[in-house]
Amino acid sequence: MTMADDASRGSLAGVKVLEFTQMVAGPLAGTMLADLGASVIKLEGLKGDPLRFVRPQYKGMCAHFFAVNRQKRSIALDLKTEEGRDVARRLATECDVVVVNARPAAMTRLGLDYEQLKAINPNIIYVMITGFGLDGPYVDRPAYDQVIQSLTGAMTLQSPEGPPAPLRSMFVDKYAATVAVSAVNAALFHRERHGEGQFISVPLMKSFAFFSLVDNLHNQCFVEGEDRTPIINITRPFRASDGTFMGHVQTDEQLRQISHAFGLEDLTQDERFNSAVKRVQNYQALWQELEKGSIHLTSAEVEEMATRYGLPIGKVKTVDEFLEDPQAIHLGCVKRYDTEEYGPVRAAAHPVDFSKTPADTDGVAPRTGEHTVSILQELGFDDERVAALRQAGAIQ
């Protein structure tokens, strides 16, 4: 099978990926692999990924779907038919990596689990993204982002003095995707050295627990320790005359610099703030005092002082304002490029800059089954066999 790999596209050029994914975690992992040069086929049901039908939309394309599925090709198969399953198995024999976010039992019933695909492709790397892993008391539960946030303690950490509050972004799904990509790269390196593929399990619960608890397990780290710190916020927004900022004051030097910038030098002598521990204990009072100086400054003046004095503060911006942020523009955090079908589009850039094998995010998301026929032809299916699959209801 040829997939027109271009060695200049990235470090994973030549790697072939097959996705059995929908919604966010699995598709985003595939897109990040595609950014790095892999050729990615998204296998969908005949009705397509449910994310396709979420708003906002433009010309029948969902913005969320576009973001996590760009640079892929789509084949639409009915895996309830033997013909559809046979095509899926044929595809798996041609691929280096399979990415799945479905319950393990479902893939076993379809004959598309790791053991069955390994029998026909011994070097395959099979990544299964699940809510709760492969077994255990929650294995049959469906898992969504907010469910995992609630179970891992993240919501209570967000709002220790009030009702539980979710992180208002799909942190669980997006971090699981990042973990999966890291695991794929490690497995590809292992295969290069030892000549064997492997099975990779990425539970949403376990990956997000790592993300959340790295800095939130402090009171539970030393099992026999008695020192405990309360869960409190260590900062609060403060106002300029025409905007709102967030900042962080941890060291004595940072307090000295920000107090000088805001014309409040006496704060360095205030007993409430003369140590890092006291500043945390009295964080609300500290920022209330600092606001007495910042409220008389414009946002531009505060930002100029942040640069001049090396202050760890930043303006609270909307997404639209971030798109105009000079540092974001300098880093290329968001790419704007032209597409034939949708005109100019924006996409979050790949987060890593490579000196030799740059990532490439320019591309569009496929329509459901847009590449079904061309992919089948690459597998060696002639027009008669394609027509037979359509007659059997295995493809559109």
Side-chain angles (χ1 to χ4, degrees):
M1 183 166 95
T2 60
M3 293 189 178
D5 290 306
D6 180 357
S8 67
R9 284 195 60 224
S11 56
L12 295 185
V15 173
K16 300 170 184 176
V17 179
L18 176 63
E19 283 187 24
F20 297 86
T21 70
Q22 60 183 13
M23 299 306 288
V24 177
L28 180 57
T31 283
M32 294 180 73
L33 293 170
D35 289 349
L36 296 176
S39 296
V40 181
I41 292 177
K42 181 180 179 70
L43 194 155
E44 305 181 70
L46 300 187
K47 294 182 179 180
D49 186 332
L51 188 61
R52 289 184 178 276
F53 307 103
V54 174
R55 295 180 59 199
Q57 302 224 352
Y58 179 64
K59 293 186 175 180
M61 175 60 70
C62 164
H64 298 295
F65 182 89
F66 189 98
V68 298
N69 287 284
R70 62 178 186 265
Q71 305 205 93
K72 302 176 185 178
R73 297 194 295 164
S74 169
I75 181 170
L77 298 175
D78 185 353
L79 295 180
K80 294 179 182 178
T81 66
E82 180 55 41
E83 294 86 351
R85 293 192 294 273
D86 178 64
V87 172
R89 284 189 286 267
R90 290 279 300 276
L91 282 170
T93 65
E94 301 286 343
C95 287
D96 302 285
V97 179
V98 169
V99 181
V100 178
N101 65 333
R103 297 183 190 180
M107 300 305 290
T108 299
R109 286 195 302 270
L110 293 171
L112 297 168
D113 62 323
Y114 173 63
E115 292 299 331
Q116 295 182 76
L117 294 187
K118 178 185 175 184
I120 57 176
N121 184 355
N123 291 326
I124 200 163
I125 294 167
Y126 191 105
V127 185
M128 175 157 278
I129 302 172
T130 61
F132 299 107
L134 307 179
D135 46 38
Y138 296 170
V139 69
D140 292 324
R141 291 189 190 180
Y144 289 90
D145 201 282
Q146 290 77 13
V147 173
I148 300 298
Q149 287 188 40
S150 67
L151 288 169
T152 54
M155 288 189 183
T156 55
L157 292 169
Q158 282 293 106
S159 183
E161 299 171 359
L167 298 162
R168 301 187 189 280
S169 182
M170 293 183 180
F171 284 95
V172 174
D173 287 330
K174 290 185 288 188
Y175 187 67
T178 304
V179 169
V181 171
S182 175
V184 166
N185 280 292
L188 286 169
F189 185 61
H190 174 82
R191 192 178 72 175
E192 182 71 19
R193 291 195 300 178
H194 301 288
E196 61 181 6
Q198 62 182 297
F199 177 83
I200 298 168
S201 173
V202 182
L204 297 182
M205 174 181 268
K206 190 173 185 179
S207 60
F208 188 69
F210 176 81
F211 176 88
S212 177
L213 297 180
V214 162
D215 59 334
N216 288 316
L217 201 64
H218 50 278
N219 282 334
Q220 293 81 15
C221 178
F222 302 110
V223 176
E224 296 182 355
E226 296 181 357
D227 187 25
R228 295 288 188 271
T229 59
I231 300 171
I232 60 174
N233 294 316
I234 60 174
T235 188
R236 64 182 288 273
F238 67 93
R239 295 173 296 161
S241 63
D242 60 346
T244 303
F245 286 78
M246 290 293 290
H248 184 66
V249 176
Q250 182 168 333
T251 67
D252 292 343
E253 178 61 16
Q254 287 171 342
L255 178 63
R256 188 184 72 79
Q257 293 281 26
I258 197 170
S259 298
H260 176 68
F262 292 170
L264 301 168
E265 285 82 355
D266 290 347
L267 285 183
T268 59
Q269 306 303 315
D270 193 314
E271 292 186 358
R272 294 174 296 173
F273 315 129
N274 63 2
S275 74
V277 171
K278 289 183 179 180
R279 285 191 286 274
V280 169
Q281 292 172 338
N282 298 293
Y283 77 95
Q284 293 202 52
L286 172 62
W287 291 102
Q288 286 169 354
E289 293 295 331
L290 288 170
E291 190 174 80
K292 293 176 181 178
S294 65
I295 196 66
H296 303 294
L297 303 171
T298 65
S299 293
E301 288 172 328
V302 173
E303 292 195 298
E304 189 277 328
M305 288 181 176
T307 300
R308 189 197 321 169
Y309 294 103
L311 303 176
I313 59 178
K315 188 177 182 182
V316 177
K317 297 185 175 184
T318 64
V319 173
D320 284 331
E321 289 170 330
F322 178 71
L323 295 178
E324 303 299 324
D325 183 278
Q327 187 65 32
I329 293 171
H330 176 78
L331 291 174
C333 294
V334 178
K335 294 191 67 175
R336 174 173 168 156
Y337 55 95
D338 293 322
T339 67
E340 182 176 348
E341 187 166 3
Y342 307 108
V345 298
R346 294 189 184 95
H350 193 85
V352 180
D353 296 322
F354 296 86
S355 65
K356 299 293 185 182
T357 54
D360 176 18
T361 57
D362 294 4
V364 298
R367 299 285 186 177
T368 305
E370 180 179 347
H371 306 96
T372 296
V373 173
S374 61
I375 291 170
L376 289 172
Q377 289 172 341
E378 290 171 4
L379 286 173
F381 285 57
D382 58 21
D383 292 345
E384 183 177 348
R385 293 184 69 189
V386 171
L389 287 173
R390 187 170 284 114
Q391 179 67 30
I395 63 173
Q396 290 178 326

